Amino acid sequence: VLDYDSRDNVRNPQTGDHFVAHNVAYREGLGGDESFDAYQINYSNYWGLGDGHVLATNARGRWTDDAPLAGFSSLNMRGYTRGNYLAEHYSHLNLDARFKIYKRWGASLFGGVGCLYESVSDCGDGDSLFPMLGGGIIYTLKPDAGIVIRLEYAKGESDNEAYYLSLGHPF
């Protein structure tokens, strides 16, 4: 595991970067049904826009080597159910704008696009791309600790949509 973290607050960052890269090695010799590797990279950046407003960006990727269908990558974005769409590799770019509205209340507006693929060139194909948009409200439960609760709606393509009540930011 490689980890770099310069965020000013782990739970509710206003500025900084967070980068994590790691490999999970599945091995028959350790009791698994198959031997394969899954490599993951996750990078988030936080820009403070003043007055408590933040623009957070997240780029994530998961790549497999010799994975069976059960080890394939899945969409990992709001608005989609994990496991419904699979491919050998996955990448996404998400933006999450967080606005401070009044005292402990805020709002979120977010969007992104993910790609499931065998080859990077597949991402030029509309069937491999999965867009997402959404928004909601944010309430700061414990300001000193940076603990927030979010109530949001996200819409993906076709009939993919969901409501979320979550403790903490998605990234």
Side-chain angles (χ1 to χ4, degrees):
V1 173
L2 207 65
D3 193 328
Y4 171 78
D5 194 348
S6 67
R7 295 173 292 177
D8 60 342
N9 183 306
V10 175
R11 291 188 189 107
N12 193 10
Q14 306 288 306
T15 62
D17 299 286
H18 187 215
F19 174 83
V20 179
H22 63 89
N23 165 257
V24 177
Y26 299 88
R27 297 293 178 257
E28 287 179 72
L30 297 174
D33 292 334
E34 304 273 345
S35 289
F36 68 96
D37 289 282
Y39 304 94
Q40 296 183 48
I41 293 177
N42 189 11
Y43 172 71
S44 298
N45 177 266
Y46 306 89
W47 288 300
L49 304 175
D51 295 328
H53 309 307
V54 176
L55 178 60
T57 60
N58 176 254
R60 178 177 294 196
R62 183 178 188 272
W63 303 271
T64 62
D65 183 31
D66 284 336
L69 183 60
F72 273 20
S73 301
S74 175
L75 283 175
N76 188 3
M77 294 191 321
R78 291 169 280 181
Y80 295 93
T81 302
R82 288 194 66 174
N84 279 358
Y85 302 94
L86 300 171
E88 289 180 66
H89 314 300
Y90 167 70
S91 299
H92 80 220
L93 178 62
N94 284 331
L95 302 175
D96 191 62
R98 304 165 186 169
F99 304 100
K100 186 174 181 178
I101 304 296
Y102 179 74
K103 294 186 180 181
R104 293 184 177 201
W105 291 95
S108 65
L109 183 60
F110 52 86
V113 63
C115 181
L116 286 166
Y117 56 96
E118 289 183 27
S119 171
V120 175
S121 62
D122 295 343
C123 292
D125 176 13
D127 292 338
S128 298
L129 294 176
F130 297 86
M132 172 271 297
L133 286 172
I137 58 173
I138 301 171
Y139 181 76
T140 304
L141 291 171
K142 193 169 184 183
D144 292 343
I147 299 173
V148 300
I149 190 167
R150 294 171 64 131
L151 176 62
E152 298 171 312
Y153 170 77
K155 173 74 174 128
E157 69 177 11
S158 302
D159 62 347
N160 292 289
E161 62 182 335
Y163 291 94
Y164 297 89
L165 179 61
S166 56
L167 190 60
H169 294 296
F171 53 87

